[in-house]
Amino acid sequence: MSSDDQFHHRVAFLAGLQFILIVGGWVALATVMKFEGYPDDNPFVRFKPVPVALREHGAWALLVPVVYAVAAIVAGEFPDGKREQCSFAISMLCLALAIGLLLAFLISAASPYTRPLLLRYM
């Protein structure tokens, strides 16, 4: 296997890993919010704006693996000395971004709503 083939396999593996992390987080958030009654208009549950935004616009996060793959392939055309440095920097940046998105999805799934303060007195 040539070094170009290894490079392309590594790019594909990391793009797939980023995809799995982002989709897993989005599915976890969507499942929790659906079980809590989202998008119904429940007066006893107020969903926080961050989980709602992640739920409604979370599919845009799938651009991270796409941007990573394109940037890594473009960086692969650099001379050998620069190729490894640029490829490593792009890989770590996009992987950190994918892990950050996963954490944002999971933290939002852990507490997607608030209950009104006076609910217990009703």
Side-chain angles (χ1 to χ4, degrees), residues 3-120:
S3 68
D4 283 341
D5 288 340
Q6 289 177 346
F7 176 74
H8 290 292
H9 284 297
R10 187 174 60 218
V11 168
F13 174 76
L14 287 175
L17 178 64
Q18 292 170 10
F19 179 80
I20 289 169
L21 290 174
I22 291 169
V23 169
W26 188 81
V27 167
L29 176 63
T31 303
V32 168
M33 288 184 73
K34 187 66 177 174
F35 280 130
E36 297 297 336
Y38 183 82
D40 297 335
D41 190 23
N42 187 347
F44 301 113
V45 174
R46 293 186 188 140
F47 288 98
K48 295 179 184 177
V50 172
V52 170
L54 286 172
R55 170 73 167 87
E56 292 178 357
H57 305 294
W60 286 103
L62 292 177
L63 287 177
V64 172
V66 173
V67 168
Y68 162 70
V70 169
I73 297 298
V74 168
E77 301 300 321
F78 291 166
D80 286 337
K82 292 280 187 186
R83 179 171 98 170
E84 292 301 321
Q85 293 173 348
C86 290
S87 175
F88 181 75
I90 291 169
S91 298
M92 292 300 109
L93 179 69
C94 289
L95 192 59
L97 185 58
I99 290 171
L101 283 168
L102 173 69
L103 290 175
F105 281 121
L106 293 180
I107 290 169
S108 295
S111 178
Y113 63 89
T114 59
R115 295 194 185 270
L117 181 61
L118 300 175
L119 181 62
R120 66 182 122 172

